[in-house]
Amino acid sequence: MRRAMVALVVLVLFLSLAGFSALALTGEDDPLDAQPEPHTPSPSGAADPMPDPPPALARFYDQQVDWQPCDGNEDNECATLEVPLDYARPAGDSIDLALLRVPARQPELTVGSLVVNPGGPGGQGTTYAAGAATTFGEALLQHYDIVGFDPRGVGDSAAIDCLSDGDLDTYLATDPDPDTAREDAEFQRQLSELGAGCVAKSGALASHVTTVEAARDMDVLRAVLDQPKLDYFGASYGTKLGATYAQLFPGNVGRMVLDGAIDLSIGARALGLQQATGFETALTAYVANCVDSGNCFLGDSVEAGLDRIRQFLAAVEQTPLPTNGERVLTGGSAYYGLITPLYDRQYWNLLSLSLRQAFDGDGSALLLLADAYASRGPKGYLSNTIEANYAINCLDDPSFVPLAKVPGQLAAFQKASPTFGAVFAYSLATCSGAVARSSVKAPHTSAEGAAPLLVIGTTRDPATPLRWAQAMARQLSSAILVTRDGDGHTGYHADNACVDAVVEDYLVDGTVPAADVDCPAA
């Protein structure tokens, strides 16, 4: 995914700081009315022997991690996992990965460990697991130890570092669709500084944060958790991570759910075009909802509302808005602030609040949304989400369109998305400043022999369009496609009982749908 996945827990924190806590945008779901019947636990792969580790990696696979109560929440358990920096040289340097485990609420019914990843790349699995009570349904919380890990280069796992906080502020505030020679030069300078900074500040690590290496780390984690097979829930980019694991270790796959799936074969240009279309679709749905509600502050029609937003973005590029702090709302931060609430329909009211404020000349709320996207707090960045996202994406696919050739792409992108097209077109140049390189090759197989894989797509998902889930389902031989009709990013635990039942029945009881599943709008 481009840049980062929105961390909704962080978003709520920022909204509280801004005085928006009364909106009560998130909360723990009520327990299921009908509790699962007690059954003899049958963890996926429970009857299977533990796979033998590669001899050169035995010390990593055989390690015993020291689970201790986590700081700040003693109900959860934290530990570190040692893995080789370079799997081609396992006797060389190693790095530590941060782990967090939320024990099952009913240990006597435990199915096993469910490893989870929130996406990004750059999202912290430890944070995702720590928020399990608001992210996963009661059935999973009762029957699984929820285990999150920060992938290599992310968060507390040998975090990749590329820029100072001040320089990262400047990078994110830079006009994301330059239209003058001066803006072009600044755009390229920022990309070059980012790429060079990753190597200067992070050294060899900058070349060893690929998705393939993170997937290999997951197999070490599987062994350390004493699981013959890996049960896994991945969202957004986490679907790519999970699919890569299945391609590398098909025989070690247990029950796997890939929600908000990514097309494994897609190139940078097609990815940008389709994601631009997805965000345009989501923005259009937001404006339509405003208009249909009556007395919409954006205008009397969908087209009028979209035009109002586009005019606002163009104006902020020319004249940044003041905020209630020292920073201003620029064209770059306005763009990130706009797309952040499009990830989840429940944040549309917050987008309206922020836009109303911005139309009145105050960019404070929209800047807070942009900060949430970048995991930035009042005193600096809470994680390295942006830097990790850049480093991982540009190692996985270092291809780029030279900045001078991007204007030739504008017509197609603006047709796909009049609001966001130019920004996505210029994102094609993102890796032009990348210095780090990797020799690790991604697998290109159908994961033949893997257990059934649930692949979930949502019809109006802005970040991972439905067509990507359809593509992944075709690419993985044991995939079963689950389609949710709805808005927002990802499909599980999104107020759709059909999707939730399919996921939880599979993970808890191993019930495999007989065919692809279409879940109607809730």
Side-chain angles (χ1 to χ4, degrees):
M1 300 306 307
R2 186 180 184 272
R3 299 237 188 242
M5 184 188 112
V6 179
L8 296 181
V9 173
V10 176
L11 177 59
V12 173
L13 168 64
F14 290 158
L15 300 181
S16 297
L17 293 171
F20 299 148
S21 57
L23 293 175
L25 296 177
T26 63
E28 184 169 345
D29 290 343
D30 293 331
L32 298 178
D33 292 332
Q35 301 299 326
E37 292 295 325
H39 67 286
T40 302
S42 180
S44 76
D48 297 318
M50 288 289 289
D52 292 329
L57 298 173
R59 77 178 185 92
F60 298 105
Y61 276 77
D62 294 340
Q63 68 185 288
Q64 299 292 316
V65 301
D66 182 21
W67 293 101
Q68 296 291 332
C70 298
D71 292 341
N73 187 341
E74 295 190 354
D75 292 335
N76 297 336
E77 301 168 328
C78 289
T80 58
L81 176 73
E82 184 185 7
V83 295
L85 172 67
D86 182 353
Y87 276 89
R89 297 174 177 81
D93 292 340
S94 64
I95 57 176
D96 290 334
L97 306 184
L99 310 178
L100 185 145
R101 179 167 65 186
V102 180
R105 291 179 175 178
Q106 295 195 19
E108 70 278 10
L109 299 180
T110 298
V111 174
S113 294
L114 181 68
V115 175
V116 298
N117 179 275
Q124 292 183 251
T126 54
T127 303
Y128 195 46
T134 57
T135 305
F136 300 101
E138 185 68 17
L140 300 188
L141 298 175
Q142 288 181 356
H143 290 79
Y144 271 105
D145 294 335
I146 307 295
V147 179
F149 73 106
D150 291 355
R152 54 173 58 217
V154 174
D156 292 323
S157 294
I160 196 86
D161 187 18
C162 305
L163 296 173
S164 68
D165 280 9
D167 287 341
L168 190 53
D169 278 346
T170 301
Y171 170 72
L172 291 171
T174 299
D175 187 351
D177 56 343
D179 47 23
T180 68
R182 181 176 179 178
E183 290 177 349
D184 277 352
E186 176 63 12
F187 189 88
Q188 187 62 67
R189 185 184 72 81
Q190 292 291 337
L191 292 177
S192 297
E193 286 190 1
L194 178 61
C198 292
V199 173
K201 288 178 170 285
S202 300
L205 175 68
S207 295
H208 290 287
V209 291
T210 64
T211 298
V212 169
E213 288 162 309
R216 291 191 180 280
D217 294 341
M218 286 207 303
D219 200 54
V220 177
L221 176 58
R222 173 200 56 75
V224 168
L225 293 172
D226 197 29
Q227 301 288 283
K229 295 185 182 295
L230 178 74
D231 288 356
Y232 175 81
F233 184 100
S236 196
Y237 160 82
T239 67
K240 177 181 177 181
L241 181 58
T244 301
Y245 180 89
Q247 291 172 317
L248 292 170
F249 306 101
N252 294 354
V253 172
R255 300 169 190 171
M256 185 172 284
V257 176
L258 307 175
D259 187 7
I262 295 174
D263 183 347
L264 300 175
S265 66
I266 197 167
R269 183 178 184 276
L271 184 149
L273 275 170
Q274 293 171 24
Q275 200 171 39
T277 301
F279 277 103
E280 192 73 29
T281 298
L283 182 65
T284 301
Y286 158 73
V287 174
N289 177 260
C290 180
V291 172
D292 292 344
S293 298
N295 196 28
C296 178
F297 73 102
L298 293 170
D300 295 332
S301 68
V302 173
E303 194 54 45
L306 291 171
D307 285 344
R308 180 71 180 91
I309 291 172
R310 293 165 192 157
Q311 290 166 10
F312 164 74
L313 291 174
V316 174
E317 280 191 17
Q318 299 302 314
T319 307
L321 291 181
T323 68
N324 56 11
E326 295 180 357
R327 297 157 61 214
V328 297
L329 181 76
T330 67
S333 49
Y335 160 74
Y336 292 117
L338 177 61
I339 69 170
T340 297
L342 296 179
Y343 277 83
D344 194 320
R345 186 185 177 106
Q346 69 177 322
Y347 295 99
W348 285 3
N349 62 335
L350 179 58
L351 177 56
S352 294
L353 181 86
S354 302
L355 286 175
R356 283 178 183 272
Q357 188 186 75
F359 291 173
D360 288 337
D362 183 352
S364 301
L366 213 52
L367 182 61
L368 281 171
L369 289 173
D371 284 349
Y373 184 83
S375 297
R376 191 192 194 284
K379 297 182 180 180
Y381 289 86
L382 304 177
S383 77
N384 69 329
T385 297
I386 296 296
E387 293 153 302
N389 183 273
Y390 168 83
I392 295 167
N393 278 336
C394 290
L395 277 187
D396 282 357
D397 180 7
S399 65
F400 64 89
V401 174
L403 188 60
K405 293 187 177 181
V406 171
Q409 303 288 333
L410 285 175
F413 276 79
Q414 289 173 328
K415 181 179 179 182
S417 173
T419 308
F420 304 114
V423 175
F424 279 93
Y426 276 96
S427 74
L428 296 175
T430 297
C431 296
S432 61
V435 176
R437 291 290 185 270
S438 172
S439 60
V440 174
K441 302 300 182 185
H444 296 284
T445 75
S446 63
E448 187 70 36
L453 308 167
L454 291 190
V455 175
I456 305 174
T458 295
T459 55
R460 292 178 297 282
D461 188 321
T464 53
L466 175 61
R467 63 194 297 179
W468 292 2
Q470 294 167 337
M472 178 181 279
R474 292 192 300 269
Q475 292 156 358
L476 301 175
S477 62
S478 61
I480 297 167
L481 179 65
V482 180
T483 301
R484 175 176 78 95
D485 182 11
D487 298 290
H489 184 38
T490 70
Y492 173 69
H493 217 229
D495 295 322
N496 188 296
C498 169
V499 174
D500 293 354
V502 171
V503 170
E504 292 168 0
D505 287 350
Y506 179 53
L507 288 176
V508 174
D509 296 316
T511 302
V512 180
D516 292 347
V517 180
D518 289 326
C519 289

